[in-house]
Amino acid sequence: MKFAIIAAGEGSRLQHEGVALPKPLVPICGEAMIDRLIRVFRQNHAEEIVIIVNTLNPQTEQHIMKLKAQGLADDIRLVVKSTPSSMHSFAELAPYLTDGPFCLTTVDTIFKEKEFSSYISTFLESPYDGCMAVTDFIDDEKPLYVATDDQLNITGFHDQNEGDQFISGGIYCLKPNAIYTLHRCLQEGQSRMRNFQRALVADGLRLKACPFSKILDVDHASDIAKAEAFLKEQTL
């Protein structure tokens, strides 16, 4: 199974709040966010890790290239390109994800490692086209609500809560047929990952909601302390 990381955002909110490092290199509990994902993915038997970084912050590219020079990143494929949206970043990664199941997330996604491992196992053992990480913990400025039936089959995605228990956690385990939906979305001028998720349902793909206790995104400087406190809870 392959894993993919979207690390091509500008991280402008963090910069405006005084965080000097590019978002992928911001340490959480002493470990850069991008390094944490790489480590966790390897622990879940990643065959290859495909990463996209932008051209605006060369420090992230240099970080990965240094790992490669040290022989510590032979399983990493790096794409360097600035894109207008996360969906476009996904499209740049898509050519390397067509030959089997994959897991995609953004670089600032913080989760419990044991829950993530269970999530990956569930996906690999399931007949579904996709397993989407969800949580009932809401700490997002614009959450995407996930509608499910009694068996946690996903029936829709909503910008407003329509009686939904969960929101999207921004981690997507998908089979390659999802890439056809991605291409359709781009052809229609779509640019938001939430519209891609809606399109998966519209195209009839079978999606399962996989609950996590909590998933955090690091969008603001204050989120760094929240993420560190959350991860420290795992060791208590």
Side-chain angles (χ1 to χ4, degrees):
M1 180 174 173
K2 294 184 178 181
F3 291 78
I5 304 172
I6 296 176
E10 296 181 12
S12 57
R13 284 175 289 190
L14 285 176
Q15 292 176 4
H16 291 157
E17 294 171 6
V19 178
L21 287 170
K23 182 186 283 191
L25 302 184
V26 171
I28 303 294
C29 295
E31 185 177 31
M33 285 192 280
I34 197 166
D35 290 344
R36 177 176 187 268
L37 284 181
I38 291 169
R39 174 179 57 78
V40 172
F41 291 168
R42 285 171 174 164
Q43 290 173 349
N44 287 277
H45 312 294
E47 299 172 10
E48 183 177 56
I49 302 170
V50 190
I51 303 172
I52 182 168
V53 302
N54 65 41
T55 59
L56 303 176
N57 295 305
Q59 287 171 274
T60 307
E61 177 187 2
Q62 292 165 5
H63 177 77
I64 299 298
M65 295 309 296
K66 183 177 179 180
L67 293 178
K68 283 184 171 292
Q70 295 171 341
L72 301 176
D74 292 340
D75 56 350
I76 293 177
R77 183 189 298 270
L78 183 64
V79 177
V80 182
K81 186 171 183 179
S82 293
T83 62
S85 72
S86 293
M87 188 186 292
H88 287 85
S89 293
F90 180 18
E92 294 296 329
L93 299 175
Y96 310 109
L97 304 173
T98 59
D99 55 352
F102 62 90
C103 177
L104 169 76
T105 191
T106 53
V107 74
D108 63 338
T109 305
I110 307 296
F111 48 80
K112 289 187 176 180
E113 295 177 25
K114 288 184 178 180
E115 290 183 339
F116 183 80
S117 294
S118 296
Y119 166 62
I120 296 298
S121 296
T122 296
F123 172 61
L124 291 175
E125 295 168 2
S126 81
Y128 288 85
D129 298 303
C131 288
M132 317 297 267
V134 301
T135 179
D136 59 7
F137 175 79
I138 303 177
D139 186 31
D140 197 309
E141 295 173 351
K142 296 181 180 179
L144 177 65
Y145 294 90
V146 182
T148 62
D149 63 17
D150 292 341
Q151 284 73 48
L152 294 183
N153 298 300
I154 294 175
T155 59
F157 295 93
H158 306 136
D159 289 328
Q160 304 296 326
N161 192 344
E162 300 183 13
D164 308 314
Q165 180 180 359
F166 300 109
I167 64 168
S168 173
I171 311 173
Y172 322 104
C173 278
L174 297 165
K175 292 180 180 175
N177 55 339
I179 292 176
Y180 292 104
T181 298
L182 170 66
H183 292 323
R184 177 175 69 78
C185 288
L186 291 170
Q187 289 171 358
E188 293 174 355
Q190 302 283 354
S191 62
R192 304 184 72 189
M193 286 297 291
R194 60 182 56 200
N195 291 332
F196 164 68
Q197 293 177 76
R198 292 188 179 103
L200 291 173
V201 174
D203 284 352
L205 275 71
R206 297 174 301 164
L207 304 178
K208 185 81 167 183
C210 294
F212 282 59
S213 60
K214 186 186 295 187
I215 299 175
L216 301 178
D217 291 335
V218 180
D219 293 320
H220 297 279
S222 59
D223 294 333
I224 297 172
K226 291 180 184 179
E228 291 183 333
F230 171 52
L231 292 181
K232 288 175 181 176
E233 290 174 4
Q234 301 182 62
T235 61
L236 298 179

